[in-house]
């Protein structure tokens, strides 16, 4: 799951940056790459979590997940919009968001690589 997360976050980050920086056709393709990568990760995560939690607790898990996303977006959306306003283009905020997402994938790869070296 760590490597899948890293790959998906790198693809989502690259797709988001492309959606923010590119002309319309590459931007649409970037958004499609980001959306498809998110779906792959979410399907994997949902399958994994379904195996961990009994059915009577899954609704609570989904509710908490959606609440966490909503709370994150309360801060992230205005911040991304503010950055786009400062730079004079709406896509600038998407580029920053994409870079932040891609950094989590790189951090995951580096973390796994560092753990592997330490354990040897």
């Amino acid at each position: 799951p760590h490597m899948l997360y890293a790959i998906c976050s790198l693809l989502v980050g690259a797709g988001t940056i492309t959606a923010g920086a590119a002309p319309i056709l590459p931007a649409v393709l970037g958004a499609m790459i980001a959306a498809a990568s998110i779906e792959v990760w979410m399907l994997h995560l949902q399958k994994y979590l379904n195996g961990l939690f009994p059915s009577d607790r899954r609704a609570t898990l989904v509710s908490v997940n959606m609440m966490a996303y909503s709370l994150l977006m309360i801060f992230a959306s205005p911040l991304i919009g503010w950055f786009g306003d400062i730079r004079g283009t709406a896509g600038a905020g998407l580029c920053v968001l994409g870079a932040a997402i891609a950094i989590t994938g790189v951090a995951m790869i580096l973390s796994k690589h560092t753990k592997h070296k330490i354990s040897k």
Side-chain angles (χ1 to χ4, degrees):
H2 292 8
M3 191 52 89
L4 179 63
Y5 174 81
I7 291 167
C8 286
S9 64
L10 288 171
L11 288 171
V12 169
T16 304
I17 290 169
T18 303
I24 191 70
L25 184 58
V28 169
L29 293 175
M32 289 171 57
I33 289 169
S37 299
I38 289 169
E39 286 303 314
V40 166
W41 174 250
M42 291 306 290
L43 285 171
H44 171 76
L45 183 62
Q46 189 174 22
K47 180 183 172 193
Y48 176 74
L49 292 175
N50 281 343
L52 290 179
F53 294 95
S55 60
D56 61 331
R57 293 191 181 172
R58 286 186 201 137
T60 302
L61 182 64
V62 169
S63 296
V64 170
N65 184 26
M66 296 307 287
M67 182 185 69
Y69 174 79
S70 296
L71 290 172
L72 173 68
M73 292 311 293
I74 287 171
F75 297 103
S77 290
L79 189 61
I80 290 167
W82 171 77
F83 189 78
D85 288 345
I86 287 176
R87 299 292 300 165
T89 176
L94 286 176
C95 290
V96 170
L97 178 63
I101 294 168
I103 287 170
T104 66
V106 171
M108 183 65 73
I109 291 169
L110 293 175
S111 168
K112 187 164 177 84
H113 182 68
T114 303
K115 284 181 185 177
H116 184 66
K117 276 185 152 182
I118 291 172
S119 65
K120 282 185 174 182

